[in-house]
Amino acid sequence: MDSTKTGNLISRLRKEKCLTQKQLGEILNVTDKTVSKWERGQSLPGVDILTPLAKALGTTTDILLSGEMNESVSMSGMRRLKFYVCPDCGNIFTSMNEGDIYCHAKKLEPLKAKNAQGDDILGIEKIDGEYLITSSHEMVKEHYISFVALVSYDSIILTKCYPEWHMNVRFPIKRGQLYHYCTEHGLFVQKI
């Protein structure tokens, strides 16, 4: 366990959760000075605190011990996630297991995500401790963004969008991938 790498990771994950050192210390029943020492690599969390620390930071003890959170490790639990959209009613389905999804007695095929490029890239700003996701995409009944989803290593947050509404979506600050579905051009993905 490299104290500098682990400290940097603790600091990064704490900031992504919008927690101060004092707030994290209160969750773990330690002082903010203890959290500061961990983040500066001057000491390491004890074995008894690793599990609660990992839970508070939204990660695993293995990742904390390694001091690294690369994309392949962080997204491994959600790699099987598939999105489905019913062409008749617009219902949205997600699945992480093999199986058939039906709507209106029709079998739905999983959507294939394309990398967002050019005009398909959504705007991402950090405002008030959250991501504000925006787009200049037209939002008319015939052509609009139907949903936006933030997929992190342990969760999916999906927000439905509607035609004739301005697209402003807020998500908590988390590392992951941002998906959006255009009713005319399909599913897109970009890193966040």
Side-chain angles (χ1 to χ4, degrees):
M1 193 162 149
D2 182 326
S3 61
T4 303
K5 286 169 91 177
T6 297
N8 289 336
L9 181 60
I10 291 169
S11 176
R12 189 179 92 213
L13 294 174
R14 175 184 60 78
K15 290 173 184 171
E16 285 179 7
K17 291 281 189 183
C18 298
L19 294 171
T20 65
Q21 290 178 340
K22 184 175 182 178
Q23 290 168 327
L24 180 59
E26 288 171 355
I27 292 168
L28 302 169
N29 294 317
V30 298
T31 67
D32 57 338
K33 290 180 176 135
T34 300
V35 175
S36 177
K37 285 182 180 180
W38 296 339
E39 291 183 359
R40 290 181 287 142
Q42 292 182 342
S43 70
L44 289 166
V47 176
D48 59 326
I49 202 99
L50 276 175
T51 300
L53 176 60
K55 184 177 180 184
L57 296 176
T59 190
T60 66
T61 55
D62 290 342
I63 290 172
L64 281 181
L65 291 170
S66 73
E68 296 177 4
M69 188 168 179
N70 60 38
E71 287 303 312
S72 63
V73 171
S74 65
M75 292 299 292
S76 62
M78 296 301 255
R79 290 232 186 267
R80 296 185 320 261
L81 180 68
K82 294 181 180 90
F83 291 94
Y84 302 80
V85 174
C86 176
D88 294 333
C89 67
N91 276 342
I92 303 161
F93 303 89
T94 62
S95 175
M96 290 184 61
N97 296 315
E98 293 299 319
D100 296 331
I101 305 288
Y102 288 86
C103 192
H104 293 93
K106 293 181 187 170
K107 181 180 174 186
L108 303 180
E109 294 299 321
L111 301 172
K112 303 236 187 279
K114 301 173 271 205
N115 286 323
Q117 298 176 3
D119 292 339
D120 297 318
I121 295 174
L122 299 180
I124 303 169
E125 288 181 70
K126 288 183 181 178
I127 296 180
D128 299 328
E130 295 180 308
Y131 285 127
L132 173 64
I133 311 299
T134 58
S135 176
S136 59
H137 192 288
E138 63 181 331
M139 295 292 281
V140 295
K141 289 181 183 177
E142 301 79 28
H143 185 204
Y144 65 99
I145 293 176
S146 171
F147 71 84
V148 180
L150 174 61
V151 178
S152 66
Y153 80 98
D154 66 345
S155 65
I156 175 173
I157 304 169
L158 189 141
T159 300
K160 179 80 172 110
C161 303
Y162 296 94
E164 300 177 5
W165 288 21
H166 196 0
M167 203 203 90
N168 285 323
V169 176
R170 287 185 177 254
F171 290 123
I173 294 178
K174 284 186 136 191
R175 290 172 46 93
Q177 294 180 317
L178 190 64
Y179 289 84
H180 71 278
Y181 178 75
C182 169
T183 57
E184 192 171 305
H185 299 108
L187 186 66
F188 294 91
V189 63
Q190 68 190 73
K191 286 186 180 177
I192 194 165

